[in-house]
Amino acid sequence: MATVEIGDEIVAMLPRLRSFALSLTRRRDEADDLVQAACERAFGAIDTWQPGTRLDAWMFRILRNLWIDRHRRRRDETSLDDDEAGLSIAGEDGRHTVEVRSTMAAVRVAIDRLPEDQREVLMLVCVEDLSYRDAAEVLDVPIGTVMSRLSRARRALAAALDAPAADRTVGGRP
């Protein structure tokens, strides 16, 4: 596959890369910087990509490794304000909008409170639709570890979202 074609494929996956980067960094500006750095690294090492393998898994791995290199011990607070900007639509049922926003905020908070390893697996498998095998490759762990982390993440989310709003916790942390 020619470098131009690979470049086109990488450009097409930018929204997915940004979504995954945002799940890691929890900040839009850092996510954008991380995606840019991952693309630069990918183009600089394009000869290391193996044709016939999943380009998206390769890119997610580059992105994740960059994030680990830069921010391993750093934890940022998430801001829900940015995500809710521009969501109001004329003629929308106000009650429904409030319920949806409340649910989405609860899901974001619950995902943010997951341990990092569970959050990564959840985003790769459930949001990015990677197979267990591809997620295991991106994370450099056995497939069984991916399955176990995903199971724990799903149980924690279900528990957090079923709990009364005042008592919502994930992973034992308020």
Side-chain angles (χ1 to χ4, degrees):
M1 183 179 285
T3 304
V4 173
E5 292 172 10
I6 294 171
D8 290 343
E9 286 191 40
I10 291 173
V11 168
M13 72 175 73
L14 286 175
R16 294 175 57 209
L17 293 170
R18 185 170 188 263
S19 176
F20 184 56
L22 191 57
S23 77
L24 296 172
T25 64
R26 303 183 204 177
R27 291 185 44 175
R28 290 176 187 269
D29 57 336
E30 285 186 42
D32 290 341
D33 291 345
L34 187 59
V35 169
Q36 180 177 347
C39 289
E40 289 172 3
R41 183 167 289 178
F43 284 116
I46 202 71
D47 56 324
T48 64
W49 178 68
Q50 308 246 330
T53 62
R54 289 189 61 164
L55 183 62
D56 60 349
W58 184 67
M59 288 298 301
F60 286 130
R61 185 177 185 117
I62 290 171
L63 192 140
R64 181 177 179 269
N65 287 343
L66 276 170
W67 178 75
I68 288 170
D69 291 345
R70 293 179 173 189
H71 301 285
R72 186 64 178 167
R73 300 194 186 275
R74 187 173 161 194
R75 303 266 186 214
D76 290 329
E77 294 292 321
T78 187
S79 172
L80 298 177
D81 297 335
D82 293 340
D83 293 334
E84 293 182 319
L87 288 181
S88 63
I89 298 173
E92 219 176 70
D93 177 7
R95 288 174 294 190
H96 177 71
T97 300
V98 169
E99 289 173 9
V100 168
R101 285 184 181 174
S102 176
T103 300
M104 290 302 298
V107 169
R108 275 190 225 109
V109 168
I111 290 172
D112 284 346
R113 289 183 175 167
L114 286 171
E116 179 181 316
D117 59 345
Q118 292 176 23
R119 189 175 60 250
E120 288 175 340
V121 169
L122 184 77
M123 294 303 294
L124 288 172
V125 174
C126 296
V127 176
E128 296 304 331
D129 202 29
L130 263 64
S131 68
Y132 290 173
R133 174 171 284 129
D134 290 334
E137 182 181 312
V138 168
L139 300 171
D140 196 27
V141 298
I143 292 174
T145 301
V146 167
M147 294 167 62
S148 174
R149 289 177 184 175
L150 184 59
S151 176
R152 287 193 312 266
R154 287 175 172 160
R155 281 195 311 267
L157 284 176
L161 297 173
D162 285 343
D167 297 333
R168 286 193 177 135
T169 62
V170 175
R173 298 182 307 198

